[in-house]
Amino acid sequence: MASETQRSPQSYPDAPSTMMACRVHRFGPPEVMALEQVETPTPGVGQVLVRVQAAGVGPWDGWIRAGKSVLPQPLPLTLGSDLSGIIQAVGPDVVTLQPGDAVFGVTNAQFTGAYAEYALASVSMITHRPATLAAIDAASVPVVAVTAQQAIERAGTIANRKVLIHGGAGSVGAYAVQLARRAGAQVIATAGTNDLGHVRGLGATEVVDYRLGRFEDVASEVDVVLDFVGGEAQRRSFEVLRSGGTLISAVSDPDQTLAQRRGVTAGFFLVEVTTERLSSVSALIELGQLSMNIGTVLPLAEARAAHEILEGTRPRIRGKIVLQVGE
């Protein structure tokens, strides 16, 4: 008799033939989102079918919905990338995971498919979820934590170096502050008035209120700038970098002419979520060395409201937006 990891997906009859999913048939504002009944997918090579318990909501979901993604996104599509849940079925070649495993991570390289009762996920972009990590908490982690982790990786050795982090209270910035401090950096962060104490608590040595002050008045001869804001803050950051310093942005490509003029290195990156990176983040969370911040939890049926929060047409509190999908 074949082992569970060797059986075909059809060996697991528990998944219903149809499911509810939040779909878009045209790009546009949150109004284009609709909850629909669709066919439950079957995992192929390198994939698993996850019974989704929770799905994270991030700005990239809004970009995809609006047709502003840098990746090609064929329509119609199911929104969502971050997810947490239980494996329902595995593809024919999957041996590292099996039905019943609790996992979290990202669906696929297109960052789609998670706002649904069941979702296909690439084996290379998910990992086991620790028993101590609740499904809603886990769904808040993948893209933002790995983005921060990858930014730190690109910065190289930052122990005893001065690091300026823009957006220290944001979903990515909060992880970056913690990871940079853990790596031994002297962390200066920018944040809003109501978030200054929170960011200090994450490990920032100094926090600048970007509404009331200028980070240039506090930061100088900075070794590394981690930019999670973009725009004017990114441009002004060149003024505080020391010669030979580094600016790393997860938002937009920095001005290379300005970088050359200032004698610094500047670059942009797209996050690459991998099992290895997720496992590393998961281990730190289990050890209590990384804290999460959940802001708003809504049911799947209110995914449109979640995107209205992203758009700023509904009030937002600090922290990650998460959709609760199933038990």
Side-chain angles (χ1 to χ4, degrees):
M1 181 176 178
S3 68
E4 282 198 327
T5 53
Q6 293 174 322
R7 295 179 188 172
S8 69
Q10 290 73 25
S11 300
Y12 306 98
D14 296 334
S17 60
T18 62
M19 65 178 189
M20 299 304 294
C22 183
R23 307 269 285 169
V24 295
H25 292 264
R26 63 182 178 87
F27 297 121
E31 289 74 25
V32 302
M33 299 167 62
L35 199 61
E36 302 175 357
Q37 190 171 31
V38 298
E39 184 177 347
T40 303
T42 299
V45 173
Q47 295 179 322
V48 295
L49 179 67
V50 178
R51 175 168 58 80
V52 181
Q53 294 174 300
V57 178
W60 51 91
D61 297 332
W63 301 334
I64 291 171
R65 185 211 69 233
K68 298 177 181 178
S69 171
V70 297
L71 303 171
Q73 300 289 357
L75 293 170
L77 60 82
T78 299
L79 291 166
S81 59
D82 286 331
L83 87 170
S84 172
I86 307 297
I87 291 181
Q88 179 73 33
V90 301
D93 65 330
V94 176
V95 296
T96 57
L97 297 166
Q98 63 183 4
D101 286 352
V103 294
F104 75 110
V106 167
T107 50
N108 52 58
Q110 297 300 111
F111 278 41
T112 57
Y115 294 5
E117 292 177 315
Y118 293 86
L120 294 179
S122 171
V123 171
S124 64
M125 300 178 76
I126 61 173
T127 193
H128 286 98
R129 187 179 84 220
T132 55
L133 189 58
I136 288 175
D137 291 336
S140 76
V141 171
V143 170
V144 291
V146 172
T147 299
Q149 181 189 51
Q150 197 172 342
I152 299 290
E153 288 174 6
R154 286 175 170 262
T157 302
I158 59 173
N160 301 314
R161 301 179 75 192
K162 193 182 297 185
V163 177
L164 171 62
I165 299 175
H166 287 305
S171 294
V172 178
Y175 281 108
V177 169
Q178 295 178 80
L179 290 169
R181 184 62 182 149
R182 184 175 178 276
Q186 176 188 343
V187 179
I188 304 169
T190 62
T193 306
N194 297 330
D195 297 323
L196 303 182
H198 172 67
V199 177
R200 287 192 189 95
L202 295 175
T205 306
E206 298 182 78
V207 186
V208 180
D209 188 332
Y210 70 87
R211 292 190 179 95
L212 301 178
R214 288 171 53 84
F215 61 82
E216 296 96 318
D217 296 334
V218 175
S220 62
E221 291 296 301
V222 169
D223 296 292
V224 176
V225 173
L226 301 181
D227 168 41
F228 306 118
V229 174
E232 186 68 9
Q234 182 192 99
R235 189 194 65 77
R236 287 163 46 204
S237 294
F238 286 102
E239 300 174 18
V240 302
L241 272 170
R242 66 166 179 81
S243 177
T246 302
L247 187 153
I248 299 164
S249 179
V251 180
S252 60
D253 193 15
D255 186 331
Q256 295 302 319
T257 300
L258 189 54
Q260 186 174 14
R261 187 184 308 151
R262 299 287 300 185
V264 302
T265 301
F268 164 73
F269 73 95
L270 290 173
V271 63
E272 297 177 5
V273 180
T274 65
T275 296
E276 291 73 23
R277 286 189 173 119
L278 285 169
S279 297
S280 174
V281 168
S282 176
L284 292 176
I285 292 172
E286 272 202 287
L287 291 171
Q289 296 180 7
L290 276 182
S291 64
M292 299 160 288
N293 186 19
I294 309 299
T296 303
V297 179
L298 296 169
L300 178 62
E302 294 185 35
R304 183 184 294 180
H307 276 238
E308 290 170 349
I309 295 173
L310 285 178
E311 298 282 301
T313 57
R314 287 179 183 248
R316 178 168 189 170
I317 60 175
R318 183 182 65 234
K320 181 75 173 179
I321 306 168
V322 178
L323 300 175
Q324 185 167 12
V325 181
E327 296 298 324

